[in-house]
Amino acid sequence: MWAGNAWRAALFGVPRGCRAQSALAQLRGILEGELEGIRGAGTWKSERVITSRQGPHIHVDGVSGGILNFCANNYLGLSSHPKVIQAGLQALEEFGAGLSSVRFICGTQSIHKNLEAKIARFHQREDAILYPSCFDANAGLFEALLTPEDAVLSDELNHASIIDGIRLCKAHKYRYCHLDMADLEAKLQEAQKHRLRLVATDGAFSMDGDIAPLQEICCLASRYGALVFVDECHATGFLGPTGRGTDELLGVMDQVTIINSTLGKALGGASGGYTTGPEPLVSLLRQRARPYLFSNSLPPAVVGCASKALDLLMESNTIVQSMAAKTQRFRSKMEAAGFTVSGASHPICPVMLGDARLASRMADDMLKRGIFVIGFSYPVVPKGKARIRVQISAVHSEEDIDRCVEAFVEVGRLHGALP
């Protein structure tokens, strides 16, 4: 034994355990340097701890009293709707906590198939497939659908999940300037040599609150023989007369080929995503989409909640119609106060500040005044375009909105963002 250890020490210089500790120490040094760089740039992201259910009025650990929440994706206020909660409890009782399986083994229950059918009807498509998240839906689509013979044309400001999904596929990749239809046309002309051409865009862009010009995109796609894919995560449930999304809002439901969206925002807010479109595409995804094949099924309680949220939405569009007036109230009052609010007519209302530290400090001071908002900075948004993203919910009252604006004005003047 001694001879073996001596031989090893002579050969490698240090014992194996010491080398492992040295490697770990090196890793720690590298990581601490990276973390210190994030702190120094003012882009460190802290996680506030909520001690209540999600809603317009919440409680936050370490903060006394109730807090007004203006940064959730809870667009319709359904995350804590009594009927949605009850549906989740009923599904939990009837179908259990989970499936302990992927879908194709023993992870498909009747409620999963019923929800997929309901999603397809809602979007007026042929079929739908569920995923653990829309990030997974985007990760699964492009790789399964597109080959080296094909091309995908993507808006430069598409969500990270679309970008990552496209990276996984072997298709030729074209990136067009944000909302620039002349550039998209030029890229479509260049891509004519490929078998399939797929234009990929967010319907509503989550950081800026602007909406893709789907009428023009669909017109160009028709002219150049392309398909259209739209990510509707920040549109499903509340954009369009009945909440079907940007394709309904802009009158092109029959021209958009594929829709990916989420159950984790307006539709109950728990988790889950989906693809809806032509039946052969959905069938192919069930055979080839890796996030679907290798991820556990959505928990029954999540399925039950999302299904009830869709029921409520399809029964009445009253909640959808209340969104526009509340969004306009916030935007007009903020702009009158002197703030720049990006986007137009979307409940995502980015208050543009530019400086990352300013955005972070203002958000902290807003919390002290009972308003929960978050500063966004690089790498979530480009450098120099830091902002506080405010999100309006159907369950915010006019008084809630006015109080938020008043706090912004007070904090903005304190930090020199307003004169």
Side-chain angles (χ1 to χ4, degrees), residues 95-113:
F95 292 97
L99 277 299
S100 303
S101 174
V102 299
R103 287 285 297 272
F104 80 92
I105 298 178
C106 59
T108 297
Q109 294 173 315
S110 56
I111 53 173
H112 294 92
K113 298 303 292 184

Side-chain angles (χ1 to χ4, degrees), residues 48-230:
R48 298 169 180 170
V49 178
I50 298 173
T51 59
S52 62
R53 64 177 57 182
Q54 185 62 276
H57 302 268
I58 59 174
H59 291 277
V60 177
D61 186 38
V63 181
S64 60
I67 302 296
L68 274 175
N69 188 3
F70 274 91
C71 62
N73 296 314
N74 187 25
Y75 292 110
L76 300 178
L78 297 180
S79 295
S80 300
H81 192 287
K83 292 183 179 180
V84 173
I85 293 173
Q86 185 58 42
L89 290 171
Q90 183 177 339
L92 182 66
E93 180 67 30
E94 184 175 353
F95 292 97
L99 277 299
S100 303
S101 174
V102 299
R103 287 285 297 272
F104 80 92
I105 298 178
C106 59
T108 297
Q109 294 173 315
S110 56
I111 53 173
H112 294 92
K113 298 303 292 184
N114 291 341
L115 178 55
E116 287 170 338
K118 190 176 293 185
I119 288 169
R121 288 198 305 273
F122 178 74
H123 285 286
Q124 300 177 21
R125 298 307 197 274
E126 295 175 13
D127 203 355
I129 177 174
L130 290 169
Y131 290 89
S133 70
C134 192
F135 204 113
D136 287 318
N138 285 337
L141 174 69
F142 303 100
E143 183 182 26
L145 174 61
L146 302 175
T147 74
E149 300 179 68
D150 305 317
V152 57
L153 304 94
S154 176
D155 187 293
E156 65 177 348
L157 293 189
N158 275 339
H159 190 268
S161 61
I162 301 175
I163 294 170
D164 286 358
I166 289 173
R167 284 173 176 165
L168 292 172
C169 78
K170 293 182 171 62
H172 295 264
K173 301 168 181 70
Y174 298 82
R175 187 174 65 174
Y176 63 92
C177 297
H178 183 50
L179 307 184
D180 187 331
M181 295 300 96
D183 193 36
L184 174 58
E185 182 168 20
K187 298 295 193 302
L188 281 167
Q189 290 171 346
E190 187 179 347
Q192 286 300 290
K193 57 195 173 189
H194 304 297
R195 183 188 66 164
L196 292 178
R197 291 159 296 283
L198 178 65
V199 180
T201 182
D202 275 309
F205 291 83
S206 62
M207 286 299 109
D208 293 294
D210 46 7
I211 295 172
L214 289 185
Q215 292 175 333
E216 291 87 345
I217 289 173
C218 289
C219 182
L220 287 172
S222 177
R223 184 181 306 165
Y224 292 100
L227 306 168
V228 178
F229 159 86
V230 182

Side-chain angles (χ1 to χ4, degrees), residues 167-365:
R167 284 173 176 165
L168 292 172
C169 78
K170 293 182 171 62
H172 295 264
K173 301 168 181 70
Y174 298 82
R175 187 174 65 174
Y176 63 92
C177 297
H178 183 50
L179 307 184
D180 187 331
M181 295 300 96
D183 193 36
L184 174 58
E185 182 168 20
K187 298 295 193 302
L188 281 167
Q189 290 171 346
E190 187 179 347
Q192 286 300 290
K193 57 195 173 189
H194 304 297
R195 183 188 66 164
L196 292 178
R197 291 159 296 283
L198 178 65
V199 180
T201 182
D202 275 309
F205 291 83
S206 62
M207 286 299 109
D208 293 294
D210 46 7
I211 295 172
L214 289 185
Q215 292 175 333
E216 291 87 345
I217 289 173
C218 289
C219 182
L220 287 172
S222 177
R223 184 181 306 165
Y224 292 100
L227 306 168
V228 178
F229 159 86
V230 182
D231 181 311
E232 290 281 58
C233 285
H234 289 275
T236 297
F238 58 94
L239 286 188
T242 62
R244 264 61 179 180
T246 54
D247 60 342
E248 182 190 42
L249 176 71
L250 299 173
V252 292
M253 289 187 74
D254 60 339
Q255 299 175 56
V256 174
T257 314
I258 308 165
I259 287 175
N260 278 8
S261 195
T262 183
L263 306 174
K265 294 182 171 60
L267 301 182
S271 186
Y274 58 85
T275 295
T276 185
E279 187 278 330
L281 169 65
V282 172
S283 294
L284 180 70
L285 292 175
R286 293 192 195 280
Q287 303 302 313
R288 290 187 179 173
R290 293 169 69 84
Y292 178 83
L293 291 169
F294 298 102
S295 296
N296 267 18
S297 306
L298 274 182
V302 172
V303 176
C305 289
S307 185
K308 176 54 69 174
L310 274 172
D311 289 342
L312 294 172
L313 188 55
M314 290 190 282
E315 287 169 6
S316 171
N317 64 351
T318 303
I319 304 177
V320 176
Q321 292 176 339
S322 73
M323 291 289 294
K326 292 177 180 179
T327 298
Q328 180 57 33
R329 184 181 187 89
F330 178 81
R331 285 180 170 273
S332 61
K333 284 180 173 286
M334 287 291 285
E335 289 169 355
F339 287 104
T340 298
V341 183
S342 180
S345 303
H346 193 284
I348 291 174
C349 303
V351 181
M352 305 303 293
L353 298 168
D355 182 74
R357 289 186 180 85
L358 174 63
S360 178
R361 290 168 181 167
M362 281 186 60
D364 289 343
D365 281 346

